[in-house]
Amino acid sequence: MNFRLAHLSDAHIGPIPRPNLAELLGKRVTGYVNWLYKRGAQHDMGVLARIVADIKAQAPDHVVMTGDIVNIGLPGEIALAKDWLASLGAPSDVSFTPGNHDAYVASVTDLVHDVFAPWTSSEAEGAGFPYLRRRAGVALIGLDTGVPTAPLVASGRLGGGQRAALAQLLDGAKAEGLARVVCLHHPPHVGGARLLRGLEDAAEFESVIARHGAELIVHGHNHKPSLHRLAGPDAAAPVVGVASASARPGGHYPGAAYNLYEIERRGDALSVLLRRRGLNQVGEVVELESVEL
């Protein structure tokens, strides 16, 4: 089995369509001001287009986008984001998991789930998250950590229902001999993000992995590359974070990048090679590092 998986996150599709006063009630006020005076200058759709072009040139077998596809959850933003996600490939070839910006206010969470449903379809019983998508020896398991929060809070949560279902999917996929890739937005380990930005039930997620295992866990949210490992029953599971796919070079965060995984199984041996590709100092998309996980 040879499987090439591309992972990008935190596209923050813009510019934000001009909201009306009713749409700016609540948390969206601070988010819109943040976009006008800070975030809008950090994310460049031209940069994102270069990242997407390079992903397509690498010809991955599948692409996963782990959330924060929009900014303040306006219906107009969600429509633009749907068109952009469709440009990555057919829903059968692209998977999506929501982030905190995709659940910016409670009134849009159902809309996000409905609009992006083609990219979150599941082969497991029941609808919703977590989903299971089998692809050429790989089990892609998508989780939803996006929950509405107060202004200036960007935390996430899985909840007991998702964690219990995740445990079952991990065991089932292992029994099938599949390489299990868990996809979510927030870093899923304790201390993985700053105060008020992390996964609230990260310790409980760690316990699930300790009992059931996984071959790879991928996330976004922090807008920077990272590598952590979680204990599993047989081997440690690599937890890999990725930079924002639209970040301008020279900003507060690293320039735009994405991760490319070469997942190979020969007999009982599984290998995962991480290739991080992103902008160099002159704005070209190149291979930045290669790590055997």
Side-chain angles (χ1 to χ4, degrees), residues 59-100:
D61 296 297
H62 200 84
V63 179
V64 61
M65 197 284 171
T66 54
D68 280 4
I69 197 170
V70 298
N71 298 283
I72 60 174
L74 294 172
E77 284 186 282
I78 294 168
L80 290 173
K82 178 185 178 182
D83 290 342
W84 175 79
L85 194 61
S87 75
L88 292 183
S92 60
D93 298 325
V94 180
S95 296
F96 172 73
T97 65
N100 52 291

Side-chain angles (χ1 to χ4, degrees), residues 6-252:
H7 169 220
L8 73 166
S9 194
D10 299 87
H12 291 284
I13 300 297
I16 294 178
R18 188 176 183 88
N20 58 48
L21 289 178
E23 290 175 325
L24 285 180
L25 292 176
K27 184 176 180 177
R28 281 193 182 129
V29 174
T30 56
Y32 188 56
V33 171
N34 182 292
W35 170 267
L36 290 176
Y37 294 100
K38 182 181 178 182
R39 189 177 295 275
Q42 295 175 349
H43 296 280
D44 186 320
M45 297 304 101
V47 165
L48 179 60
R50 272 179 271 164
I51 291 292
V52 170
D54 192 75
I55 290 174
K56 292 183 176 181
Q58 297 299 316
D61 296 297
H62 200 84
V63 179
V64 61
M65 197 284 171
T66 54
D68 280 4
I69 197 170
V70 298
N71 298 283
I72 60 174
L74 294 172
E77 284 186 282
I78 294 168
L80 290 173
K82 178 185 178 182
D83 290 342
W84 175 79
L85 194 61
S87 75
L88 292 183
S92 60
D93 298 325
V94 180
S95 296
F96 172 73
T97 65
N100 52 291
H101 280 266
D102 309 316
Y104 211 72
V105 293
S107 61
V108 300
T109 53
D110 288 344
L111 177 62
V112 166
H113 289 164
D114 289 344
V115 168
F116 297 109
W119 295 273
T120 65
S121 62
S122 180
E123 297 166 19
E125 292 184 8
F129 293 87
Y131 61 71
L132 169 68
R133 312 184 95 186
R134 298 177 182 87
R135 299 292 186 274
V138 172
L140 298 164
I141 301 174
L143 298 167
D144 182 4
T145 63
V147 292
T149 59
L152 307 180
V153 178
S155 58
R157 184 172 62 253
L158 288 167
Q162 277 198 88
R163 298 195 308 270
L166 170 63
Q168 292 183 346
L169 292 179
L170 290 170
D171 285 348
K174 182 178 181 180
E176 293 181 43
L178 303 175
R180 300 162 297 174
V181 181
V182 179
C183 312
L184 72 172
H185 180 71
H186 288 80
H189 53 287
V190 175
R194 300 194 310 271
L195 183 67
L196 302 180
R197 287 185 51 83
L199 186 68
E200 294 173 0
D201 47 359
E204 290 84 353
F205 178 89
E206 289 188 4
S207 295
V208 172
I209 299 302
R211 294 192 305 271
H212 303 276
E215 281 62 61
L216 176 63
I217 303 168
V218 302
H219 69 86
H221 189 58
N222 285 339
H223 292 205
K224 60 184 180 182
S226 61
L227 175 60
H228 187 77
R229 296 186 188 275
L230 290 180
D234 303 313
V239 180
V240 188
V242 69
S244 163
S246 61
R248 294 178 186 270
H252 178 69

